[in-house]
Amino acid sequence: MNKDKRRLILERLRNDNPKPETELEFSNPYELLVAVALSAQATDVSVNKATRKLFPVANTPQAMLDLGAEGVKQYIKTIGLFNTKAENVIKAARILVEQHGGEVPEDRAALEKLPGVGRKTANVVLNTAFGWPTIAVDTHIFRVSNRTKFAMGKNVDEVEQKLLKVVPSEFKVDVHHWLILHGRYTCLARKPRCGSCLIEDLCEFKDKVYPDE
């Protein structure tokens, strides 16, 4: 795919959704950090359902520590891997309190040292909470980038590096949101909705699927 076609795709996505936002519900960087960590192998809908009850009780590292792992589990037990996630949330909260004054650091290395926080989560926090031009690559973005031929790679790291290389600066803050929403609602894993796709004529996927097929 050439740069002109990529720009057209990005312009269409921007015109359709000028100010994209994550579907995870949060009101501060710490809530976002916890929500993203909980969303691993879970849906945003299931995470929001749990955090709507959890965050009014504990939405700071110290409050989360006071709640304790067993307390956290009671709020997130409907989410997959909740036992491990609860333990990681508490371990991360302790580090934030002891090493960062109870604040979420605007620093990639520090974020990635937190239990349960990998590169993708760090990217989301840096992008969504602090406005960094980072591009988090999840399964949706990996699929869309490869299927459309927008930014191909054998793994999420390769796709991230390709996106960082080919996406013009003006689109970098928002592109992760556009691609994830496109993958979640249009470019579906099993049967993409090509007939109602905003960028169908620009996409280089050879096996397009239409409603009557």
Side-chain angles (χ1 to χ4, degrees):
M1 181 174 287
N2 62 47
K3 66 179 182 180
D4 293 333
K5 191 178 285 189
R6 288 192 182 97
R7 172 169 280 278
L8 282 172
I9 286 174
L10 293 169
E11 287 176 347
R12 285 191 194 176
L13 293 173
R14 179 173 65 186
N15 290 338
D16 184 61
N17 187 2
K19 295 182 179 179
E21 298 178 349
T22 176
E23 293 187 320
L24 289 171
E25 297 170 1
F26 71 99
S27 61
N28 63 43
Y30 179 64
E31 288 187 359
L32 177 64
L33 176 69
V34 172
V36 177
L38 293 178
S39 71
Q41 298 181 37
T43 65
D44 287 2
V45 171
S46 67
V47 172
N48 289 336
K49 186 175 181 180
T51 57
R52 283 174 196 150
K53 296 179 180 180
L54 172 63
F55 289 156
V57 176
N59 74 338
T60 67
Q62 185 59 60
M64 200 69 74
L65 269 181
D66 293 341
L67 187 59
E70 292 305 315
V72 172
K73 289 176 186 178
Q74 296 308 306
Y75 289 95
I76 69 168
K77 58 188 177 181
T78 54
I79 300 174
L81 307 175
F82 73 93
N83 283 309
T84 299
K85 290 177 179 178
E87 298 291 344
N88 284 336
V89 164
I90 293 302
K91 290 175 184 175
R94 182 169 291 107
I95 292 172
L96 292 174
V97 169
E98 294 176 353
Q99 299 180 21
H100 301 286
E103 300 293 330
V104 175
E106 190 177 343
D107 178 271
R108 176 185 297 285
L111 287 170
E112 290 188 19
K113 287 180 181 178
L114 298 173
V117 177
R119 184 175 180 85
K120 187 192 80 171
T121 298
N123 274 336
V124 174
V125 173
L126 291 171
N127 174 274
T128 305
F130 300 115
W132 284 31
T134 57
I135 303 175
V137 178
D138 70 346
T139 56
H140 294 298
I141 296 174
F142 181 79
R143 179 177 67 256
V144 171
S145 297
N146 276 291
R147 181 184 275 167
T148 62
K149 307 292 194 290
F150 188 98
M152 299 179 71
K154 295 178 181 177
N155 54 55
V156 293
D157 291 332
E158 285 188 13
V159 170
E160 179 187 342
Q161 294 309 310
K162 186 67 179 290
L163 286 169
L164 288 169
K165 181 180 179 181
V166 302
V167 173
S169 298
E170 66 184 283
F171 301 105
K172 275 184 179 164
V173 171
D174 293 326
V175 68
H176 137 259
H177 295 297
W178 290 325
L179 293 179
I180 194 171
L181 292 171
H182 192 68
R184 186 172 288 165
Y185 296 110
T186 303
C187 198
L188 307 181
R190 293 187 179 180
K191 191 174 183 180
R193 296 170 176 168
C194 300
S196 59
C197 176
L198 189 68
I199 60 170
E200 186 253 350
D201 58 315
L202 300 170
C203 168
E204 295 185 0
F205 181 49
K206 294 180 179 179
D207 302 313
K208 292 187 173 71
V209 179
Y210 298 98
D212 58 348
E213 294 182 359

